């Protein structure tokens, strides 16, 4: 084995790497927020909407969950640009991610919403809570609490798969790394550093979700049950 | 779309299917070993398996593909063929997730079953093979079939770093020369859907059937 590892050539690019990290986190942040909103609305529609709405949502979920993200992103981004839509590539990438993660969130949140017992809703009605209060306190929060680990796992994966969007030209961490490779020819070192960076990022995202869980579900904290 | 273009896409579909099957085969073997190691009574072994799973689950597949593609050239001094590199990367990645599914299935076998097997004087291996694993297979089949969909979808990025020619690669190639993104990516999506959807449905059906006792 005569290969000389040369990490210094790669680490010299750290300001560039840092901008990539920020883009990755930005993509993950916005697609998590909007994807959660979209998924929760779809889950509501899927559990209590009209029959036709339920069908539409079911088709959306099945189509997205049975096709790869990269094809969805190509279809959306190259497709829209072929009919003349011009927008910053990051917006298109975020939209592709939101549509993708929305479908997964729908399924997870549906499981949560369906686990809320009917007696809970009746009790809420007896206590005189209005529709909105019932939704927030009786349906949404307990549902989310139950599926929180699954949601967290899905959103950590989401952060990791933002790397795929480098292939449509988004300059996030993986895209930056591609640039560094072509300048240094240090492919292996770049990938090792990249793996380490993503590992740290995923731990960071997990930690953020843990803190968020503590804030969102104080009941859990008081009961002392793990999230 | 003319016949030649359709033929191209089907060629890509074949590449996707080959890579998926190889991944499922080798990933399954590695995942089985990992799952057993993960619940081994030896703490260091358990720790090793858990660390492997945690690390792999925290790294994107694309990065693992890069490491598996460029790494062997450095260690052994030879270049990896695209299919071998893609299979290696997919195996390493998928096994980490599959091992978690199977580990939880093993642990979901009721505790008295483990104890009863022990009381009957079965050795550890006999207990696993004759008592625990047959029951765990029943529990783990639906999520395993569901996970095959993930494997099929994940093959779609094997062309990015490694240059393995799968369905997504051919779709992009055709789009680059014809500029008809809706047509070719739509067709590729349809092909992915055709092979994935039956598995998704199968997973749900199996879940309903195999779980009949708990309903």
């Amino acid at each position: 084995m005569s290969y000389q590892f040369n990490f210094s050539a790669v680490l010299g690019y750290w300001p560039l790497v840092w901008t990539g990290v920020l883009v990755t986190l930005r993509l993950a942040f916005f697609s998590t927020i909007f994807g959660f909103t979209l998924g929760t609305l779809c889950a509501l529609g899927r559990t209590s909407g009209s029959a036709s709405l339920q069908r539409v949502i079911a088709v959306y979920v099945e189509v997205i969950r049975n096709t790869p993200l990269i094809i969805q992103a190509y279809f959306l981004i190259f497709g829209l640009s072929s009919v003349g839509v011009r927008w910053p590539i990051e917006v298109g990438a975020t939209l592709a991610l939101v549509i993708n993660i929305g479908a997964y969130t729908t399924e997870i949140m549906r499981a949560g919403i369906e686990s809320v017992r009917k007696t809970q809703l009746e009790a809420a009605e007896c206590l005189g809570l209005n529709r909105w209060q019932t939704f927030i306190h009786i349906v949404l929060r307990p549902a989310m609490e139950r599926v929180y680990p699954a949601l967290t796992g899905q959103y950590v994966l989401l952060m990791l798969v933002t790397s795929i969007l480098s292939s449509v030209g988004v300059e996030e961490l993986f895209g930056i790394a591609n640039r560094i490779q072509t300048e240094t020819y240090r492919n292996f070192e770049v990938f090792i550093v990249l793996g380490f960076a993503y590992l740290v990022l995923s731990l960071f995202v997990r930690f953020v979700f843990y803190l968020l869980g503590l804030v969102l579900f104080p009941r859990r904290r008081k009961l002392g049950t793990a999230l | 779309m003319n016949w030649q273009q359709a033929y191209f896409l089907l060629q890509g579909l074949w590449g996707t299917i080959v890579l998926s099957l190889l991944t499922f085969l080798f990933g399954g073997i590695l995942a089985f070993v990992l799952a057993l190691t993960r619940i081994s009574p030896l703490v260091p072994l358990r720790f090793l398996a858990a660390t492997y799973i945690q690390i792999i689950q925290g790294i994107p597949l694309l990065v693992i593909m890069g490491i598996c593609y460029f790494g062997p050239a450095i260690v052994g001094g030879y270049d990896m063929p695209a299919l071998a590199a893609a299979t290696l990367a997919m195996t390493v990645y998928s096994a980490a997730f599959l091992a978690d599914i199977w580990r939880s299935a093993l642990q979901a076998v009721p505790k008295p079953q483990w104890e009863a097997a022990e009381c009957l004087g079965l050795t550890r291996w006999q207990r696993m093979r004759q008592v625990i694993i047959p029951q765990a297979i029943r529990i783990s089949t639906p999520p395993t079939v569901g996970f095959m969909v993930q494997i099929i979808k994940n093959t779609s990025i094997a062309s990015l770093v490694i240059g393995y020619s799968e369905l997504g690669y051919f779709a992009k190639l055709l789009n680059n020369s014809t500029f008809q993104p809706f047509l070719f990516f739509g067709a590729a999506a349809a092909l992915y859907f055709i092979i994935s959807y039956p598995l998704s449905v199968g997973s749900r059906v199996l879940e309903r059937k195999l779980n009949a006792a708990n309903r």
Side-chain angles (χ1 to χ4, degrees):
Chain A
M1 183 173 158
S2 56
Y3 189 83
Q4 293 289 314
F5 281 96
N6 185 354
F7 283 104
S8 57
V10 179
L11 294 174
Y13 284 87
W14 77 265
L16 205 56
V17 171
W18 181 243
T19 59
V21 167
L22 291 183
V23 176
T24 291
L25 286 177
R26 198 158 61 215
L27 278 177
F29 178 76
F30 285 114
S31 36
T32 299
I33 299 276
F34 294 125
F36 177 73
T37 312
L38 175 66
T40 306
L41 290 177
C42 286
L44 270 181
R46 188 83 173 75
T47 47
S48 52
S50 66
S52 53
L53 182 66
Q54 289 197 18
R55 281 199 76 84
V56 171
I57 294 171
V59 169
Y60 158 66
V61 168
E62 289 302 331
V63 167
I64 294 297
R65 276 165 41 107
N66 288 296
T67 53
L69 168 65
I70 190 168
I71 299 291
Q72 295 160 12
Y74 285 163
F75 187 86
L76 188 78
I77 292 169
F78 294 150
L80 285 182
S81 73
S82 79
V83 294
V85 178
R86 292 277 176 274
W87 51 19
I89 189 66
E90 231 183 286
V91 176
T94 308
L95 185 62
L97 286 168
V98 167
I99 292 175
N100 182 268
I101 196 69
Y104 290 90
T105 308
T106 303
E107 279 302 274
I108 297 175
M109 284 306 284
R110 182 168 75 120
I113 290 174
E114 279 174 355
S115 77
V116 176
R117 294 225 179 90
K118 206 159 179 245
T119 49
Q120 294 273 314
L121 297 176
E122 289 162 1
E125 204 172 319
C126 292
L127 287 173
L129 270 63
N130 63 33
R131 275 180 73 104
W132 180 246
Q133 286 170 323
T134 308
F135 172 64
I136 293 291
H137 299 290
I138 313 300
V139 178
L140 186 60
R141 215 190 229 191
M144 221 179 132
E145 190 174 323
R146 243 162 257 166
V147 296
Y148 197 67
L151 279 179
T152 305
Q154 200 64 53
Y155 292 139
V156 171
L157 272 183
L158 171 70
M159 187 277 289
L160 294 175
V161 300
T162 56
S163 59
I164 292 176
L165 272 307
S166 63
S167 68
V168 292
V170 184
E171 290 268 274
E172 42 67 75
L173 186 50
F174 196 86
I176 294 284
N178 270 336
R179 226 165 90 191
I180 298 174
Q181 278 182 54
T182 52
E183 285 178 29
T184 61
Y185 298 106
R186 290 277 160 198
N187 312 43
F188 191 60
E189 285 90 333
V190 168
F191 276 109
I192 294 288
V193 172
L194 207 51
F196 187 73
Y198 273 111
L199 200 56
V200 172
L201 275 180
S202 68
L203 289 176
F204 170 72
V205 174
R206 270 188 194 286
F207 182 66
V208 170
F209 273 107
Y210 171 74
L211 291 183
L212 193 65
L214 289 185
V215 176
L216 285 177
F217 314 118
R219 192 176 69 100
R220 272 280 168 95
R221 200 174 55 209
K222 280 175 200 139
L223 288 172
T225 44
L227 271 168
Chain B
M1 199 189 309
N2 59 37
W3 283 111
Q4 199 170 6
Q5 289 164 337
Y7 176 71
F8 257 141
L9 279 183
L10 289 179
Q11 207 181 325
L13 181 66
W14 177 243
T16 295
I17 291 173
V18 168
L19 180 56
S20 304
L21 288 178
L22 285 175
T23 302
F24 191 68
L25 176 65
F26 291 113
I29 295 170
L30 180 57
F32 183 68
V33 175
L34 274 173
L36 287 184
T37 317
R38 187 72 181 69
I39 56 166
S40 143
L42 296 171
V43 176
L45 270 183
R46 219 157 60 198
F47 178 76
L48 262 178
T51 312
Y52 173 89
I53 292 171
Q54 284 300 316
I55 289 179
I56 296 297
Q57 290 192 355
I59 300 179
L61 176 56
L62 267 184
V63 175
I64 294 173
M65 284 185 166
I67 292 173
C68 291
Y69 188 49
F70 297 111
I74 286 165
V75 179
Y78 53 86
D79 281 334
M80 289 281 270
L83 177 60
T87 306
L88 177 63
M90 291 283 300
T91 298
V92 164
Y93 183 76
S94 306
F97 289 86
L98 211 45
D100 251 3
I101 295 175
W102 289 353
R103 193 247 325 151
S104 63
L106 287 170
Q107 287 177 335
V109 175
K111 203 89 200 179
Q113 295 284 327
W114 299 71
E115 292 161 358
E118 208 167 313
C119 290
L120 288 173
L122 299 182
T123 65
R124 205 193 321 282
W125 182 238
Q126 279 175 329
R127 177 181 66 187
M128 281 316 251
R129 205 167 61 87
Q130 294 174 349
V131 180
I132 306 303
I133 291 178
Q135 299 183 64
I137 285 177
R138 208 183 161 82
I139 302 171
S140 67
T141 303
T144 304
V145 174
F147 186 73
M148 288 167 84
V149 177
Q150 304 289 330
I151 292 181
I152 291 168
K153 287 190 298 177
N154 282 336
T155 59
S156 66
I157 58 172
S159 55
L160 294 185
V161 181
I162 297 177
Y164 177 70
S165 40
E166 36 69 36
L167 181 51
Y169 173 76
F170 279 108
K172 200 176 178 191
L173 219 61
L174 287 168
N175 173 54
N176 287 350
S177 54
T178 60
F179 301 109
Q180 289 175 297
F182 286 127
L183 175 64
F184 288 110
F185 294 127
L191 287 175
Y192 276 113
F193 188 82
I194 288 170
I195 50 174
S196 302
Y197 188 62
L199 291 171
S200 296
V201 174
S203 168
R204 273 190 300 246
V205 171
L206 280 171
E207 184 157 9
R208 225 176 308 133
K209 274 200 174 145
L210 295 181
N211 200 26
N214 294 340
R215 259 184 310 170

